[in-house]
Amino acid sequence: MSEITTKNDENVSLLENSPPLYHSKHVEYVETLASKLEGSFEGALTNHLKLGGVYWSVTTMCLLLDNDMEKVDERMGLFSSKQDSPSIIDWIGTCFDDESGGFGGDTGQDGHITYTLYAILILAMANRLDMIPVERVVKFISSLQQADGSFVGDSHGEVDTRFSYCGLASLSILDRLDAVNVEDAASYVKNCRNMETGGFGSCVGAESHAGQVFCCVAALSIAKQLEPDDVLLWWLSERQCDSGGLNGRSEKQADVCYSWWILSSLSILGCTDYISKEKLASFILKAQDPDDGGIADRPEDMADVFHTFFGIAGLSLLGLFEKSKTGKIVGDIDPIYAIPSVVVQRLKLPGQVIVRNGQTKENRLQQYSTLM
């Protein structure tokens, strides 16, 4: 990989023979996204995902602006109102569902464990965890743990290992892991491992999927119950396609989002060198929109904020973002909690990572306990 240089004031060259990172274009894309969705057909269809979209947007902006929260606020209205709209943190307060004690996807929606985690993550980045009614949220999350250690998402009762991660990550940030049975939670996650692939599914016996692997590996990391697993590492490394991108399971197309799901897992397990980093970085960079900013699921497709977040996060995990000659940098993301590493370090969040013999522990992982 080449040394980082800048082509001009807007673009940062990361790799030879690949497009530059359209840094300023991505900042503008995220900044203007809310106004484009307001009142649109697309906005109406994705209303139930609004809090998720805000999390992806805020985290992307924090990474692109190296966690300069004044600049993030200026661009997005994180703390202050913008264009007659409430600030993001004030709007999050309206997403709290007083009946359940959790957060919903938008104002007036039912509480759900996924959106509760999104709200907690955004407020953690904003350093405003004091806005959370902690005891009510803890009661909501703990009520979702089942007798076998699994978690449901809400009162409708769907069980999914995604919710195991959401529950443990949320309680870890709130410093209330004592409110659930962590041992049973970890045991259930381990039971969702498939022996033939080493991968994890959404529940016991379900097909291995890279997104579920992240949720399970990160949940076990928070529970400090990781185990070395060469079969899983082999399966994860096989997810790299000829294009350089990663897919989520066998016989599927490569997709930029798996740059996060798989790289984060490999980072926690101490094996990011099991894939070609340069080929993956090139795949992500080719999926950018050079005109309007944003990153798509794969080259030539339309950009969206979901893949923009995972693309930037993937490039961060690849270690491509060093200080450029103009001083423009992009922050590190934490592979366990999916927020900037500086936030995780400020909160002193717990976790466990594996460091292989002869390897050096990444700076972003220094605070975590180590399994050799």
Side-chain angles (χ1 to χ4, degrees), residues 213 217 232-234 236-237 246 260-275 335 354 356 359 362 365:
V213 169
V217 169
L232 173 58
L233 291 172
W234 180 257
L236 288 171
S237 67
L246 304 171
W260 164 259
W261 303 121
I262 291 176
L263 271 177
S264 56
S265 301
L266 290 174
S267 178
I268 295 168
L269 298 172
C271 290
T272 55
D273 58 347
Y274 272 42
I275 61 169
I354 295 177
R356 303 278 164 168
Q359 287 185 333
E362 289 185 72
L365 305 177

Side-chain angles (χ1 to χ4, degrees), residues 25-40 42-43 46 50 52-58 60-61 75-76 82-83 292-294 302-309:
K25 290 289 186 181
H26 297 326
V27 171
E28 292 170 9
Y29 171 78
V30 175
E31 180 181 6
T32 59
L33 185 63
S35 61
K36 292 177 181 177
L37 288 176
E38 191 68 33
S40 69
E42 292 85 352
T46 58
K50 189 172 181 179
V54 172
Y55 157 71
W56 301 323
S57 299
V58 171
T60 302
M61 192 69 84
R75 294 278 188 170
M76 301 189 70
K82 188 175 182 182
Q83 297 178 349
D292 298 319
M302 182 176 291
D304 60 73
V305 69
F306 178 83
H307 291 92
T308 300
F309 164 62

Side-chain angles (χ1 to χ4, degrees), residues 62-316:
C62 284
L63 292 172
L64 289 170
L65 300 180
D66 196 30
N67 222 51
D68 186 328
M69 302 312 289
E70 289 188 8
K71 290 182 179 179
V72 173
D73 180 48
E74 179 184 339
R75 294 278 188 170
M76 301 189 70
L78 182 60
F79 307 109
S80 53
S81 60
K82 188 175 182 182
Q83 297 178 349
D84 298 324
S85 298
S87 69
I88 289 174
I89 61 171
D90 286 340
W91 170 76
I92 289 174
T94 71
C95 296
F96 181 73
D97 175 25
D98 193 62
E99 182 176 346
S100 69
F103 288 85
D106 196 358
T107 306
Q109 295 184 4
D110 294 342
H112 192 283
I113 198 169
T114 303
Y115 297 114
T116 298
L117 175 59
Y118 285 148
I120 292 171
L121 291 172
I122 296 168
L123 293 174
M125 287 185 279
N127 200 17
R128 289 302 310 273
L129 290 175
D130 60 292
M131 293 180 59
I132 297 173
V134 174
E135 292 307 317
R136 295 208 59 198
V137 171
V138 168
K139 183 178 179 181
F140 168 70
I141 295 173
S142 61
S143 73
L144 299 176
Q145 187 173 33
Q146 306 300 292
D148 61 358
S150 66
F151 283 80
V152 295
D154 57 18
S155 59
H156 294 290
E158 179 189 8
V159 172
D160 195 304
T161 47
R162 291 175 299 162
F163 307 149
S164 297
Y165 168 72
C166 290
L168 293 182
S170 296
L171 293 174
S172 178
I173 295 171
L174 297 177
D175 196 23
R176 287 301 310 276
L177 280 171
D178 62 293
V180 294
N181 191 319
V182 176
E183 290 289 328
D184 284 357
S187 178
Y188 177 79
V189 168
K190 290 178 182 180
N191 287 337
C192 295
R193 179 182 180 272
N194 292 307
M195 298 296 293
E196 71 278 8
T197 65
F200 294 84
S202 59
C203 57
V204 177
E207 180 186 10
S208 297
H209 188 279
Q212 306 293 155
V213 169
F214 160 74
C215 292
C216 293
V217 169
L220 293 174
S221 170
I222 293 169
K224 297 187 178 180
Q225 298 252 358
L226 284 177
E227 298 174 0
D229 191 337
D230 289 339
V231 178
L232 173 58
L233 291 172
W234 180 257
W235 186 83
L236 288 171
S237 67
E238 286 187 324
R239 303 278 61 77
Q240 190 157 37
C241 303
D242 292 343
S243 63
L246 304 171
N247 66 19
R249 49 195 169 132
S250 299
E251 305 302 324
K252 296 294 183 179
Q253 289 190 71
D255 188 313
V256 163
C257 72
Y258 297 112
S259 307
W260 164 259
W261 303 121
I262 291 176
L263 271 177
S264 56
S265 301
L266 290 174
S267 178
I268 295 168
L269 298 172
C271 290
T272 55
D273 58 347
Y274 272 42
I275 61 169
S276 170
K277 295 181 180 181
E278 187 162 338
K279 288 182 179 179
L280 176 57
S282 180
F283 176 80
I284 298 171
L285 292 170
K286 290 175 182 176
Q288 298 176 105
D289 183 334
D291 298 317
D292 298 319
I295 301 176
D297 56 349
R298 55 186 62 90
E300 305 301 326
D301 282 357
M302 182 176 291
D304 60 73
V305 69
F306 178 83
H307 291 92
T308 300
F309 164 62
F310 288 121
I312 297 298
L315 292 172
S316 173

